[in-house]
Amino acid sequence: MNIDDLRRVIVAAAGADETLRLAGDITDTPFEELGYDSLALMECAALVEQEYGVSIPEDELAEARTPGALLALVNGSVAR
Amino acid sequence: MGVTAMGSTVVTGMAVVAPNGVGTERYWKAVLAGESGIGALTRFDATGYPSGLAGQVEDFDPAAHLPSRLLPQTDTSTRLALASADWALLDARVDRSTLRDYDKGTVLANALGGFEFTHREFRKLWAKGPGFVSVYESFAWFYAVNTGQISIRNELRGPGAALVGEQAGGLDALGHARRTVRAGTPLVVAGGVDSALDPWGWAAQLAGGRVSTATDPALAYLPFDKRAAGHVPGEGGAILVLEDQASALARGISRPHGEIAGYAATFDPRPGSGRPPGLRRAAELAITDAGLTPAEVDVVFADGAGVPELDAAEAEAIRGVFGPGGVPVTVPKALTGRLYSGGGPVDVVTALLAIRDGVIPASGASADVPSEYGIDLVRGEPRAAPLGAALVLARGRWGFNAAVVVRAATTDKGDRT
Amino acid sequence: MSRRVVITGIGVRAPGGRGTKEFWDLLTAGRTATRPISSFDASPFRSRVAGEVDFDPALEGITPRELRRMDRATQFAVACAREAVADSGVAFAGVDPHRVGVVLGSAVAAATSLENEYLVMSDSGREWLADPAYLSPHMFDYLSPGVMAAEVAWTVGAEGPVTMVSDGCTSGLDAVGYAVRLIREGTVDTAVAGATDTPITPIVVACFDAIKATSTYNDDPGHASRPFDASRNGFVLAEGAAVFVLEELGAALARGATPYAEVTGFATRCNAYHMTGLKTDGRELAEAIRVALDESEVDPSAVDYVNAHGSGTKQNDRHETAAFKRALGEHARRVPVSSIKSMVGHSLGAIGSIEIAASALAIRHDVVPPTANLHRPDPECDLDYVPLTARELTVDTVLSVGSGFGGFQSAMVLRAPGRR
């Protein structure tokens, strides 16, 4: 999964605010700044699991503060 | 619960989303022109269902009216409700800085919940498994969803409530909103919006047994007509902003749309008890509550079930209060279909517009009223008439009755607006 | 002088016992009634514990005909209404029906029946069958559940206002609050009010699984609901109902009734923050508490017992603790606070009414029910939560609160009859 895949999943799971710079480099922008709450991230994680078969543990998801961190979790899990 | 001064509760903002018009004035124009929003159900392939006509809101693009963030988490009904609330608050000139946050409440009715959304989630659960159910299902479905979402979007931190009373619930919401204003919350967003035009929601509505099986949209819902054979379900509703008149005046709103002058709710007797039904009593109580007599009511917006037995019962109630032919009666919802919790609030807005413009809209295509009904149904063309006060009636399945009296608001100079 | 409202009859169907007495016995013994879900195969689900009610329609006098038309939640409500009426001693046959109202709360209403019907219409979930002939004639009532309140109205012959309040998890408090207003404003003299929910069905379990709100102590079901404990990890879904007979005080006394409690104050606020999330500061719940106390003309220091929402989610218990401190000040550290959800779980819209029942019984018996399963309090939940064991003390004034999805925050004050 790359950042563009994740971007697509986020928009499907939780939409994209007008003020949001999803089009730019969002890898290290905190989800909070992008306007996404924990509910949005849970929906993202569920979609990732449904589409990629990767299950992200709840406590690790809670620690993922940026798209980059979430991506690392997904790809790390794939690697494991 | 603390009772404060019983000042007038006025309507300072209103918005309609109806099958024959999105936005108050477009809706009103359509109503006066007799334009119907009833047509073939196109939301899904309804072949094989005994009824295939509905009042659909076609002219509404959610993405154009709501932030993208809200779209994945909302049902059609909630999107319509959120947009209507935006327009009603704009109409009332209310923004986040208006009043204290606790001074603004949200009281809505909801009869169907986020049903299309929940149908999708049921399907995911049973076809794919629990892990496929959306995180949003936990709130997109339940009856309080519109109240919560409107409260959040507009920072309304005062009292909130969601009432269920099928088609009567919308008037109960307005009544409870007025009660809430009188108890000290100066501004309450109130009304109701419903939609359930997915295959399951549709089948469930048909299971109620009162939906017309007619195939000609022009003849499918004919309240009080000899040919009446059921109603057409629709989607949509109305949101209103109710305010304590003094508080509204203090923020510069001197010409509100009108006043919620009276309200009452009753319930029909237990089936088989032989006691009289409660609609007439609701009407009389609401008129008394408004400080009026029946002679001072200029028009009745009837429930208009479109089922002969129910039409006859309502005609009897109206006749009982006003005498035979004693008041003009209209059912503009013949042009939209029955909107569940949205029905009463749309009628209240319509009544306020009728008072404003001095014209009673007609009752869709209803034409041939049985003489024994003894009601003066406004048919064919709108009827010009100076209107001071209107009675709006609504009934919900199993015996819910609600009545609201609206009238032109008095200005600070004592004139009726 | 404004009209005052008292509770004169109580009916309860909660996990762990049938009727008000067994409910109170369970609470005061500190026993828990949460257990593995038995009503369907819950093995695919994340949370598999629940507070189920062993409800026997035949024992409740529900006829086969009633059984066919009534959803499970409706059956609960009707059983509770009958118990409450008998308990109150009101002879409804002799009361003017126009002066009787009904207000019933429910969060998910006929969810159980909806799911059953979905399975019928979709060939057990595999494929949608577009033939409504398969559908129950009652399906409309599951879609729009006003009939639940109607059934209660028919039980007592009410012909005044009849309403369903569906404010999610504060429905049970808000329905009673609504009914109290009807009596106070003079619309009715008597009301039958309460709430019911039977949400232990796959779709609802899946909803809360998805947002990870429910407990995963599946291997320790009796200790799965742990409000205020450091080890809590969510609420335990439950079913239940409680219904009350409410009367205008003067009328109740005139007929020789012995009221349980007076409802002296009620307020609700919205947090306008998030559909499921809570801010940590408890601001709006504190405001609801402040207004309910004000209306009761009660100083915060007079509160003898706080019946908490105490759902057992990480977020709620901290939010609520903050709200108590904000609204009650120093008194928050002295007053006993407990959550009966530790014992009977969280029955969504119903629990608010079940908690009103517990509050009224606390006043009647001068006993405060405990918070079960509380062995190691969360350091951020630092009040007196009455761990494990019920406590005898004079209970004249109770504050009962609720918090729910949609941002609803409600507070009710109950006082021993004749306190004002």
Side-chain angles (χ1 to χ4, degrees), chain B residues 318-352:
Chain B
I318 294 170
R319 219 167 52 230
V321 177
F322 298 96
V327 67
V329 176
T330 183
V331 192
K333 67 168 74 69
L335 298 170
T336 63
R338 288 175 76 80
L339 307 182
Y340 298 92
S341 74
V346 169
D347 276 346
V348 166
V349 171
T350 314
L352 290 168

mmCIF file of all heavy atoms in Angstrom, chain B residues 318-352:
data_model
loop_
_atom_site.group_PDB
_atom_site.id
_atom_site.type_symbol
_atom_site.label_atom_id
_atom_site.label_comp_id
_atom_site.label_asym_id
_atom_site.label_seq_id
_atom_site.Cartn_x
_atom_site.Cartn_y
_atom_site.Cartn_z
ATOM 1 N N ILE B 318 -63.647 17.482 11.752
ATOM 2 C CA ILE B 318 -63.618 18.880 11.301
ATOM 3 C C ILE B 318 -65.030 19.473 11.337
ATOM 4 O O ILE B 318 -65.249 20.596 11.800
ATOM 5 C CB ILE B 318 -63.005 18.974 9.881
ATOM 6 C CG1 ILE B 318 -61.522 18.574 9.924
ATOM 7 C CG2 ILE B 318 -63.155 20.384 9.302
ATOM 8 C CD1 ILE B 318 -60.879 18.386 8.559
ATOM 9 N N ARG B 319 -65.991 18.675 10.854
ATOM 10 C CA ARG B 319 -67.391 19.099 10.894
ATOM 11 C C ARG B 319 -67.848 19.347 12.318
ATOM 12 O O ARG B 319 -68.551 20.305 12.620
ATOM 13 C CB ARG B 319 -68.237 17.988 10.272
ATOM 14 C CG ARG B 319 -69.385 18.424 9.414
ATOM 15 C CD ARG B 319 -69.944 17.249 8.609
ATOM 16 N NE ARG B 319 -70.272 16.094 9.432
ATOM 17 C CZ ARG B 319 -69.869 14.851 9.177
ATOM 18 N NH1 ARG B 319 -69.103 14.602 8.115
ATOM 19 N NH2 ARG B 319 -70.210 13.853 9.961
ATOM 20 N N GLY B 320 -67.400 18.487 13.202
ATOM 21 C CA GLY B 320 -67.800 18.620 14.599
ATOM 22 C C GLY B 320 -67.305 19.922 15.213
ATOM 23 O O GLY B 320 -67.995 20.552 16.014
ATOM 24 N N VAL B 321 -66.119 20.334 14.838
ATOM 25 C CA VAL B 321 -65.538 21.556 15.415
ATOM 26 C C VAL B 321 -66.105 22.800 14.733
ATOM 27 O O VAL B 321 -66.443 23.780 15.398
ATOM 28 C CB VAL B 321 -63.996 21.556 15.274
ATOM 29 C CG1 VAL B 321 -63.411 22.867 15.821
ATOM 30 C CG2 VAL B 321 -63.388 20.359 15.989
ATOM 31 N N PHE B 322 -66.229 22.755 13.399
ATOM 32 C CA PHE B 322 -66.523 23.982 12.647
ATOM 33 C C PHE B 322 -67.929 24.020 12.056
ATOM 34 O O PHE B 322 -68.340 25.029 11.491
ATOM 35 C CB PHE B 322 -65.511 24.151 11.502
ATOM 36 C CG PHE B 322 -64.086 24.302 11.972
ATOM 37 C CD1 PHE B 322 -63.225 23.213 12.040
ATOM 38 C CD2 PHE B 322 -63.610 25.550 12.367
ATOM 39 C CE1 PHE B 322 -61.921 23.359 12.475
ATOM 40 C CE2 PHE B 322 -62.307 25.706 12.805
ATOM 41 C CZ PHE B 322 -61.451 24.599 12.864
ATOM 42 N N GLY B 323 -68.639 22.912 12.146
ATOM 43 C CA GLY B 323 -69.945 22.840 11.496
ATOM 44 C C GLY B 323 -69.754 22.440 10.038
ATOM 45 O O GLY B 323 -68.666 22.585 9.480
ATOM 46 N N PRO B 324 -70.837 21.961 9.388
ATOM 47 C CA PRO B 324 -70.720 21.519 7.993
ATOM 48 C C PRO B 324 -70.248 22.658 7.088
ATOM 49 O O PRO B 324 -70.835 23.743 7.103
ATOM 50 C CB PRO B 324 -72.148 21.090 7.639
ATOM 51 C CG PRO B 324 -72.816 20.820 8.963
ATOM 52 C CD PRO B 324 -72.180 21.761 9.947
ATOM 53 N N GLY B 325 -69.207 22.408 6.338
ATOM 54 C CA GLY B 325 -68.693 23.422 5.412
ATOM 55 C C GLY B 325 -68.242 24.690 6.104
ATOM 56 O O GLY B 325 -68.140 25.741 5.481
ATOM 57 N N GLY B 326 -67.970 24.632 7.390
ATOM 58 C CA GLY B 326 -67.733 25.830 8.187
ATOM 59 C C GLY B 326 -66.361 26.460 8.023
ATOM 60 O O GLY B 326 -66.132 27.569 8.520
ATOM 61 N N VAL B 327 -65.466 25.786 7.346
ATOM 62 C CA VAL B 327 -64.107 26.323 7.208
ATOM 63 C C VAL B 327 -63.474 25.699 5.961
ATOM 64 O O VAL B 327 -63.738 24.532 5.657
ATOM 65 C CB VAL B 327 -63.276 25.999 8.478
ATOM 66 C CG1 VAL B 327 -63.032 24.504 8.622
ATOM 67 C CG2 VAL B 327 -61.943 26.747 8.506
ATOM 68 N N PRO B 328 -62.693 26.458 5.217
ATOM 69 C CA PRO B 328 -61.985 25.846 4.091
ATOM 70 C C PRO B 328 -60.970 24.813 4.589
ATOM 71 O O PRO B 328 -60.288 25.050 5.591
ATOM 72 C CB PRO B 328 -61.262 27.026 3.420
ATOM 73 C CG PRO B 328 -61.883 28.262 3.968
ATOM 74 C CD PRO B 328 -62.424 27.913 5.329
ATOM 75 N N VAL B 329 -60.921 23.677 3.890
ATOM 76 C CA VAL B 329 -60.012 22.593 4.261
ATOM 77 C C VAL B 329 -59.118 22.304 3.059
ATOM 78 O O VAL B 329 -59.587 22.267 1.929
ATOM 79 C CB VAL B 329 -60.810 21.320 4.627
ATOM 80 C CG1 VAL B 329 -59.877 20.147 4.935
ATOM 81 C CG2 VAL B 329 -61.743 21.592 5.798
ATOM 82 N N THR B 330 -57.833 22.092 3.337
ATOM 83 C CA THR B 330 -56.944 21.767 2.235
ATOM 84 C C THR B 330 -55.948 20.678 2.617
ATOM 85 O O THR B 330 -55.656 20.497 3.812
ATOM 86 C CB THR B 330 -56.187 23.014 1.722
ATOM 87 O OG1 THR B 330 -55.395 22.634 0.586
ATOM 88 C CG2 THR B 330 -55.276 23.599 2.791
ATOM 89 N N VAL B 331 -55.460 19.961 1.617
ATOM 90 C CA VAL B 331 -54.457 18.911 1.831
ATOM 91 C C VAL B 331 -53.350 19.046 0.778
ATOM 92 O O VAL B 331 -53.257 18.241 -0.155
ATOM 93 C CB VAL B 331 -55.074 17.496 1.754
ATOM 94 C CG1 VAL B 331 -54.072 16.458 2.282
ATOM 95 C CG2 VAL B 331 -56.362 17.401 2.559
ATOM 96 N N PRO B 332 -52.500 20.045 0.926
ATOM 97 C CA PRO B 332 -51.452 20.210 -0.097
ATOM 98 C C PRO B 332 -50.489 19.029 -0.156
ATOM 99 O O PRO B 332 -49.777 18.853 -1.150
ATOM 100 C CB PRO B 332 -50.735 21.505 0.309
ATOM 101 C CG PRO B 332 -51.281 21.905 1.625
ATOM 102 C CD PRO B 332 -52.521 21.139 1.903
ATOM 103 N N LYS B 333 -50.472 18.197 0.881
ATOM 104 C CA LYS B 333 -49.567 17.040 0.843
ATOM 105 C C LYS B 333 -49.987 16.031 -0.235
ATOM 106 O O LYS B 333 -49.230 15.110 -0.540
ATOM 107 C CB LYS B 333 -49.440 16.381 2.212
ATOM 108 C CG LYS B 333 -50.680 15.704 2.744
ATOM 109 C CD LYS B 333 -50.392 14.841 3.965
ATOM 110 C CE LYS B 333 -50.123 15.605 5.247
ATOM 111 N NZ LYS B 333 -51.306 16.316 5.797
ATOM 112 N N ALA B 334 -51.164 16.243 -0.845
ATOM 113 C CA ALA B 334 -51.541 15.417 -1.982
ATOM 114 C C ALA B 334 -50.515 15.569 -3.111
ATOM 115 O O ALA B 334 -50.423 14.717 -3.991
ATOM 116 C CB ALA B 334 -52.934 15.799 -2.470
ATOM 117 N N LEU B 335 -49.741 16.647 -3.073
ATOM 118 C CA LEU B 335 -48.734 16.897 -4.113
ATOM 119 C C LEU B 335 -47.344 16.367 -3.757
ATOM 120 O O LEU B 335 -46.433 16.386 -4.581
ATOM 121 C CB LEU B 335 -48.625 18.406 -4.375
ATOM 122 C CG LEU B 335 -49.896 19.096 -4.899
ATOM 123 C CD1 LEU B 335 -49.716 20.618 -4.872
ATOM 124 C CD2 LEU B 335 -50.221 18.613 -6.305
ATOM 125 N N THR B 336 -47.187 15.928 -2.515
ATOM 126 C CA THR B 336 -45.842 15.488 -2.079
ATOM 127 C C THR B 336 -45.831 14.029 -1.650
ATOM 128 O O THR B 336 -44.772 13.414 -1.564
ATOM 129 C CB THR B 336 -45.349 16.301 -0.861
ATOM 130 O OG1 THR B 336 -46.235 16.066 0.247
ATOM 131 C CG2 THR B 336 -45.291 17.787 -1.177
ATOM 132 N N GLY B 337 -47.001 13.492 -1.359
ATOM 133 C CA GLY B 337 -47.071 12.216 -0.657
ATOM 134 C C GLY B 337 -46.935 12.461 0.828
ATOM 135 O O GLY B 337 -46.664 13.587 1.277
ATOM 136 N N ARG B 338 -47.168 11.410 1.598
ATOM 137 C CA ARG B 338 -47.069 11.548 3.061
ATOM 138 C C ARG B 338 -45.605 11.403 3.474
ATOM 139 O O ARG B 338 -44.934 10.444 3.100
ATOM 140 C CB ARG B 338 -47.950 10.515 3.755
ATOM 141 C CG ARG B 338 -49.440 10.867 3.595
ATOM 142 C CD ARG B 338 -50.350 9.814 4.174
ATOM 143 N NE ARG B 338 -50.418 9.834 5.635
ATOM 144 C CZ ARG B 338 -51.157 10.683 6.344
ATOM 145 N NH1 ARG B 338 -51.879 11.600 5.735
ATOM 146 N NH2 ARG B 338 -51.184 10.604 7.659
ATOM 147 N N LEU B 339 -45.138 12.362 4.270
ATOM 148 C CA LEU B 339 -43.708 12.468 4.575
ATOM 149 C C LEU B 339 -43.366 12.040 6.005
ATOM 150 O O LEU B 339 -42.320 12.405 6.518
ATOM 151 C CB LEU B 339 -43.228 13.904 4.328
ATOM 152 C CG LEU B 339 -43.537 14.499 2.948
ATOM 153 C CD1 LEU B 339 -42.951 15.909 2.836
ATOM 154 C CD2 LEU B 339 -42.994 13.626 1.831
ATOM 155 N N TYR B 340 -44.273 11.322 6.653
ATOM 156 C CA TYR B 340 -43.999 10.850 8.018
ATOM 157 C C TYR B 340 -43.712 12.033 8.942
ATOM 158 O O TYR B 340 -44.489 12.962 8.965
ATOM 159 C CB TYR B 340 -42.876 9.799 7.994
ATOM 160 C CG TYR B 340 -43.304 8.596 7.188
ATOM 161 C CD1 TYR B 340 -43.023 8.506 5.835
ATOM 162 C CD2 TYR B 340 -44.077 7.597 7.763
ATOM 163 C CE1 TYR B 340 -43.474 7.419 5.081
ATOM 164 C CE2 TYR B 340 -44.525 6.509 7.023
ATOM 165 C CZ TYR B 340 -44.215 6.429 5.689
ATOM 166 O OH TYR B 340 -44.670 5.363 4.961
ATOM 167 N N SER B 341 -42.581 12.033 9.639
ATOM 168 C CA SER B 341 -42.334 13.128 10.584
ATOM 169 C C SER B 341 -42.230 14.475 9.869
ATOM 170 O O SER B 341 -42.386 15.526 10.484
ATOM 171 C CB SER B 341 -41.062 12.868 11.389
ATOM 172 O OG SER B 341 -39.920 13.075 10.587
ATOM 173 N N GLY B 342 -41.963 14.445 8.569
ATOM 174 C CA GLY B 342 -41.860 15.697 7.823
ATOM 175 C C GLY B 342 -43.204 16.303 7.458
ATOM 176 O O GLY B 342 -43.293 17.490 7.149
ATOM 177 N N GLY B 343 -44.253 15.480 7.496
ATOM 178 C CA GLY B 343 -45.554 15.932 6.996
ATOM 179 C C GLY B 343 -46.124 17.121 7.747
ATOM 180 O O GLY B 343 -46.501 18.131 7.146
ATOM 181 N N GLY B 344 -46.170 17.009 9.078
ATOM 182 C CA GLY B 344 -46.735 18.092 9.892
ATOM 183 C C GLY B 344 -45.954 19.395 9.742
ATOM 184 O O GLY B 344 -46.534 20.458 9.489
ATOM 185 N N PRO B 345 -44.625 19.327 9.896
ATOM 186 C CA PRO B 345 -43.840 20.565 9.742
ATOM 187 C C PRO B 345 -43.986 21.212 8.366
ATOM 188 O O PRO B 345 -44.069 22.442 8.263
ATOM 189 C CB PRO B 345 -42.401 20.093 9.994
ATOM 190 C CG PRO B 345 -42.564 18.933 10.936
ATOM 191 C CD PRO B 345 -43.829 18.242 10.487
ATOM 192 N N VAL B 346 -44.056 20.405 7.289
ATOM 193 C CA VAL B 346 -44.262 20.998 5.961
ATOM 194 C C VAL B 346 -45.623 21.699 5.921
ATOM 195 O O VAL B 346 -45.746 22.814 5.399
ATOM 196 C CB VAL B 346 -44.166 19.934 4.845
ATOM 197 C CG1 VAL B 346 -44.648 20.503 3.510
ATOM 198 C CG2 VAL B 346 -42.726 19.430 4.702
ATOM 199 N N ASP B 347 -46.640 21.077 6.506
ATOM 200 C CA ASP B 347 -47.963 21.721 6.529
ATOM 201 C C ASP B 347 -47.939 23.023 7.324
ATOM 202 O O ASP B 347 -48.611 23.993 6.958
ATOM 203 C CB ASP B 347 -49.000 20.767 7.136
ATOM 204 C CG ASP B 347 -49.561 19.794 6.099
ATOM 205 O OD1 ASP B 347 -49.362 20.018 4.889
ATOM 206 O OD2 ASP B 347 -50.202 18.797 6.512
ATOM 207 N N VAL B 348 -47.186 23.054 8.412
ATOM 208 C CA VAL B 348 -47.105 24.283 9.210
ATOM 209 C C VAL B 348 -46.442 25.400 8.403
ATOM 210 O O VAL B 348 -46.913 26.545 8.392
ATOM 211 C CB VAL B 348 -46.354 24.018 10.544
ATOM 212 C CG1 VAL B 348 -45.956 25.330 11.218
ATOM 213 C CG2 VAL B 348 -47.246 23.191 11.483
ATOM 214 N N VAL B 349 -45.366 25.066 7.710
ATOM 215 C CA VAL B 349 -44.716 26.074 6.855
ATOM 216 C C VAL B 349 -45.694 26.534 5.774
ATOM 217 O O VAL B 349 -45.832 27.732 5.501
ATOM 218 C CB VAL B 349 -43.422 25.504 6.213
ATOM 219 C CG1 VAL B 349 -42.884 26.474 5.160
ATOM 220 C CG2 VAL B 349 -42.373 25.217 7.275
ATOM 221 N N THR B 350 -46.386 25.572 5.172
ATOM 222 C CA THR B 350 -47.345 25.907 4.115
ATOM 223 C C THR B 350 -48.440 26.821 4.656
ATOM 224 O O THR B 350 -48.844 27.793 3.996
ATOM 225 C CB THR B 350 -47.962 24.617 3.531
ATOM 226 O OG1 THR B 350 -46.907 23.675 3.278
ATOM 227 C CG2 THR B 350 -48.693 24.898 2.231
ATOM 228 N N ALA B 351 -48.895 26.539 5.853
ATOM 229 C CA ALA B 351 -49.929 27.375 6.470
ATOM 230 C C ALA B 351 -49.417 28.803 6.693
ATOM 231 O O ALA B 351 -50.128 29.781 6.458
ATOM 232 C CB ALA B 351 -50.382 26.755 7.790
ATOM 233 N N LEU B 352 -48.166 28.926 7.132
ATOM 234 C CA LEU B 352 -47.608 30.259 7.360
ATOM 235 C C LEU B 352 -47.470 31.031 6.041
ATOM 236 O O LEU B 352 -47.712 32.243 5.987
ATOM 237 C CB LEU B 352 -46.246 30.146 8.061
ATOM 238 C CG LEU B 352 -46.312 29.672 9.526
ATOM 239 C CD1 LEU B 352 -44.928 29.297 10.044
ATOM 240 C CD2 LEU B 352 -46.935 30.745 10.411
#
